[in-house]
Structure formats: structure tokens, C-alpha cells
């Protein structure tokens, strides 16, 4: 499967020259292309070039001397919209609903999937505001095409290069043709940390962001599953229509939510970093600082994974996670058996790009039947795809 009608939106980056090659590739595939440009993009590549290649007029203004260009109509016409290159400025506008040009006006009217190919310098790519804006775009169900690594226009070397046109096309075709192979499945996903109260102000917690679990929920929903996501304290927003989000704080709240939902699930993916201990006594008022040491007695929280493993029925499956720092494989396999998992995903804090708060992960996956699979460092979205592919092929 591939799209038949594409809007290509070109913004003001030195990488705009690649838009000509992308238009040629799309047209060679028999796809009709209409090009939109920001005014700044026209300084990098001629509208005439893109018009000639696409065999359609190029629009860069909502209102021109000749006519009013209907951005709503354009947004409804396309099967997909590609923003390539997408500058930090355009990404910020898209993420925050700023509508001051033909590209952003069409984006806000589009009813089709939107693919964003970022292009910017290394420092801009790594800036917290850019990261946050990309997270927003992802939460709005836009598809972010991974950037390349190499020499940048500034002379620096690193991430931020726009993906090559053939890479963009391959990413879109793969995403566009994604099978709904989980349709009819109900999947329970846990994600994020839990916070265990010490007093009304303080808590015991961990550094989990919830990114891995949210990516798993998104991937499952994109593949047609009915997803119930139980999310601990996290800044992440989840808006996919196929995901029912239930927010909790403590391990006890997460257990109660899991226990309520598990009976009707085909699969539970336990990606949350649940606290193992909580204060035995929670102070009703804020504990004041004093000259003496403070001792807090801890008690075990309920083991959610083991509890679900005990009540698992025929036809149900559980995927667990293990974050280890030593004896990693042995500890993961032991957890797989003790908690009656069907699959366990191991990540090590010793691996660069793995663990909490990264956009990437490096995992090893062990199945109950003894099979093991090693993966290189990938985006958490790709890791989520790998995990669900293994589930589909083995259960």
C-alpha cells in the first residue's frame, strides 16, 4: 500500500534542495504531488523547479494577487502530508498551533497522516524546546522521520540532518502499509514510575519517564488493538483515539487498576517502573526539618507482575521488563520464570542510550520457550515495534 495523493510542504532550510529529489521519487511511484512552500523556503529553491517536477502549481501564500488558495481544501485532498525539510521554527509553530503561512494553515486543516522530516543544526536539535515540540507533535499522532547524523551546514558534525529522500519514502511506505494485525485484541500497558508518599510534599520515586510504555501503547493502537494504558506520574500526553488512559500515582493504585482490567485482556505489557517499597507510615502533615536524622521505615509494595502471573488464564500473555546493572541475563530469566511471564525485555543501565528518559533503548528479549533475541540501539518507537512483532510471531 502507498498513498496516491501527497502534499509536500517545504520550509526554509538549506536542506530544501532535497525536496526536488523527493518530488521526483514520489512522481516516479505514480503519486500525485502538490507542493506548498513557506516564503523563506523560496530563497533556497525555486517554486518553478518544484512546479515543473510535480506538474502542479506551487503555493506559498494563502492569499495571492491571482486567487485565494484554499488550505482547507488542500488538507482534505491529500492522503498524507509531508513536511520536509521541517525547520525548528516550523516545528514550533505546528506544535503550538501558530498559523501564519500556507504550510501551517494546511497542517492545521489536514485530516490525513502527517510526516515530519526535521532539518536543523545540532544545538537546535538538542535544545529542550525542540525536544518538547517534537514530543507534542508525536502526541498529536504525527510521524517524526528520524534525522541523519553527519556534517551540518554550520560545520558541526552530529544529529540534525534531514533524512535522505529515499529514506523518507521508505519510512512513509512502511508506516502507511502497517498491518492492523492486532485488531480485536485488548492490550493492557503499564508505564511510568510510581510515587510513594512520605508526607503531603515528599515521595519515593524513580527516574522513569514512561516513554517506552507510551510508545508500546501507541504502536499497539496503530496496529488496531484496543489499548488500556495505566500511566504513573508522567509529563507525557497520550491522545491516540485507540488508547484509554488511566492515570495513577502509587503502586497500590496501579495494582488496583491492573487487577480490574486484566481479566478481559489478551496481553499485558508491564513496562512501568513500580516502586518496590513504600513508607510504612505516611505523615499527615509536612515533616519539618530538624537537627536529628530522619528514619523512614519501609514496607514492600504489592508485586503487580507476580499477582497477574498467578491469575493468568489460557490464551492470556504477559510481557515483563527488567532493568538490571549486574548479572543481567540471569536476573532477567529468573524474573521471567518467577512471575510467569511469556516474554521479558531486558535493558541494562550500562548500555549507552538505554534506560530511563532516553528516546532510544537497547534491549535483549527472552521468551519462555528459551529463544533469545538481541537488538541494537534503536528509537523506543522501533523497539516497541520489535516487541510486538515478536509477540505476534510467537503467541
Amino acid at each position: 500500500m502507498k498513498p496516491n495523493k501527497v502534499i509536500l510542504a517545504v520550509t526554509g532550510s538549506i536542506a530544501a534542495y532535497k525536496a526536488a529529489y523527493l518530488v521526483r521519487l514520489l512522481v516516479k511511484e505514480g503519486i500525485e504531488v502538490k507542493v506548498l512552500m513557506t516564503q523563506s523556503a523560496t530563497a533556497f529553491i525555486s517554486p518553478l523547479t518544484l512546479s515543473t517536477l510535480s506538474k502542479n502549481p506551487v503555493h506559498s501564500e494563502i492569499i495571492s494577487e491571482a486567487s485565494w488558495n484554499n488550505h482547507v481544501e488542500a488538507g482534505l485532498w491529500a492522503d498524507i502530508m509531508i513536511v520536509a525539510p521541517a525547520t525548528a521554527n516550523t516545528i514550533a509553530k505546528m506544535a503550538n498551533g501558530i498559523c501564519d503561512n500556507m504550510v501551517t494553515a494546511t497542517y492545521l486543516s489536514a485530516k490525513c497522516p502527517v510526516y515530519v522530516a526535521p532539518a536543523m543544526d545540532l544545538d537546535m536539535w538538542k535544545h529542550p524546546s525542540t525536544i518538547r515540540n517534537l514530543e507534542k507533535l508525536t502526541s498529536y499522532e504525527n510521524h517524526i522521520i528520524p534525522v541523519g547524523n553527519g556534517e551540518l551546514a554550520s560545520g558541526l558534525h552530529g544529529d540534525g540532518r534531514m533524512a535522505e529522500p529515499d529514506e523518507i519514502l521508505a519510512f512513509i511506505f512502511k508506516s502507511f502499509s502497517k498491518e492492523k494485525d492486532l485488531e480485536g485484541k485488548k492490550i493492557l500497558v503499564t508505564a511510568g514510575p510510581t510515587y510513594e508518599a512520605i508526607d503531603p510534599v515528599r515521595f519515593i520515586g524513580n527516574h522513569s519517564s514512561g516513554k517506552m510504555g507510551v510508545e508500546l501503547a501507541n504502536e499497539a493502537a496503530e496496529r488496531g488493538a484496543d489499548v488500556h494504558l495505566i500511566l504513573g506520574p508522567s509529563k507525557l500526553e497520550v491522545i491516540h483515539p485507540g488508547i484509554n488512559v488511566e492515570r495513577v500515582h502509587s503502586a497500590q493504585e496501579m495494582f488496583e487498576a491492573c487487577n480490574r482490567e486484566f481479566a478481559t485482556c489478551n496481553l499485558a505489557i508491564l513496562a512501568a517502573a513500580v516502586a518496590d517499597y513504600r513508607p510504612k507510615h505516611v505523615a499527615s502533615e509536612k515533616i519539618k526539618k530538624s537537627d536529628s536524622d530522619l528514619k523512614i521505615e519501609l514496607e514492600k509494595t504489592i508485586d503487580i507482575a507476580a499477582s497477574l502471573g498467578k491469575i493468568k488464564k489460557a490464551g492470556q500473555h504477559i510481557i515483563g521488563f527488567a532493568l538490571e546493572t549486574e548479572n543481567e541475563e540471569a536476573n532477567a530469566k529468573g524474573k521471567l520464570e518467577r512471575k510467569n511471564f511469556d516474554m521479558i525485555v531486558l535493558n541494562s543501565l550500562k548500555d549507552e542510550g538505554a534506560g530511563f528518559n532516553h528516546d532510544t533503548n537497547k534491549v535483549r528479549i527472552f521468551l519462555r520457550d528459551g529463544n533469545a533475541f538481541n537488538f541494537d540501539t534503536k528509537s523506543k518507537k522501533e523497539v516497541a515495534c520489535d516487541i510486538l512483532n515478536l509477540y505476534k510471531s510467537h503467541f
Side-chain angles (χ1 to χ4, degrees), residues 92-357:
K93 289 178 179 181
M94 292 169 66
N96 293 285
I98 298 171
C99 178
D100 63 356
N101 59 50
M102 187 65 180
V103 168
T104 52
T106 303
Y107 164 70
L108 291 173
S109 302
K111 302 299 182 187
C112 59
V114 178
Y115 294 81
V116 181
M120 65 194 74
D121 206 57
L122 176 64
D123 294 333
M124 299 169 73
W125 175 251
K126 291 185 174 293
H127 196 279
S129 61
T130 302
I131 293 169
R132 180 58 179 155
N133 286 332
L134 287 167
E135 288 175 348
K136 280 188 178 181
L137 288 184
T138 301
S139 76
Y140 302 155
E141 297 184 61
N142 297 298
H143 305 270
I144 309 302
I145 299 171
V147 296
N149 182 286
E151 187 176 351
L152 304 168
S154 66
L156 295 175
H157 191 283
D159 292 337
R161 288 171 61 95
M162 186 180 98
E164 296 302 321
D166 58 334
E167 295 171 334
I168 292 173
L169 205 62
F171 182 96
I172 290 168
F173 282 5
K174 182 179 178 181
S175 172
F176 199 77
S177 62
K178 184 171 285 185
E179 278 188 81
K180 300 296 183 183
D181 57 353
L182 295 176
E183 206 159 29
K185 300 283 188 184
K186 182 174 179 183
I187 298 179
L188 169 66
V189 181
T190 68
T194 64
Y195 288 173
E196 310 303 325
I198 296 171
D199 62 19
V201 176
R202 304 174 182 89
F203 60 85
I204 296 171
N206 58 60
H207 298 297
S208 174
S209 64
K211 289 180 180 179
M212 189 68 253
V214 169
E215 288 293 358
L216 280 158
N218 282 327
E219 177 69 16
E222 284 180 14
R223 291 163 73 159
D226 176 14
V227 180
H228 190 93
L229 173 64
I230 301 172
L231 183 60
S234 170
K235 295 178 181 178
L236 299 179
E237 295 295 328
V238 184
I239 62 166
H240 194 291
I243 302 174
N244 178 41
V245 183
E246 181 175 356
R247 291 187 177 267
V248 298
H249 279 82
S250 68
Q252 183 63 32
E253 290 175 354
M254 186 170 283
F255 165 72
E256 291 170 3
C258 286
N259 204 43
R260 186 171 58 250
E261 296 295 327
F262 182 66
T264 58
C265 288
N266 303 102
L267 171 66
I269 307 175
L270 307 181
V274 183
D276 294 321
Y277 294 91
R278 65 185 177 195
K280 191 169 186 177
H281 304 287
V282 179
S284 58
E285 303 292 341
K286 179 184 174 184
I287 300 171
K288 297 295 184 182
K289 186 176 181 179
S290 68
D291 293 333
S292 60
D293 292 339
L294 175 65
K295 292 183 174 60
I296 299 174
E297 187 179 359
L298 302 179
E299 63 181 4
K300 281 187 176 181
T301 57
I302 190 161
D303 190 328
I304 298 172
S307 299
L308 298 184
K310 287 177 182 176
I311 62 173
K312 185 177 70 172
K313 298 176 293 191
Q316 287 186 304
H317 298 96
I318 300 177
I319 299 174
F321 277 71
L323 178 63
E324 302 291 344
T325 59
E326 59 181 356
N327 300 323
E328 295 158 352
E329 185 173 329
N331 286 335
K333 288 181 175 179
K335 188 174 183 179
L336 174 74
E337 293 298 326
R338 288 194 313 274
K339 304 200 176 182
N340 198 21
F341 292 160
D342 300 282
M343 180 192 304
I344 193 160
V345 181
L346 168 64
N347 27 213
S348 169
L349 283 179
K350 295 178 181 178
D351 289 329
E352 187 176 348
F356 294 147
N357 281 304

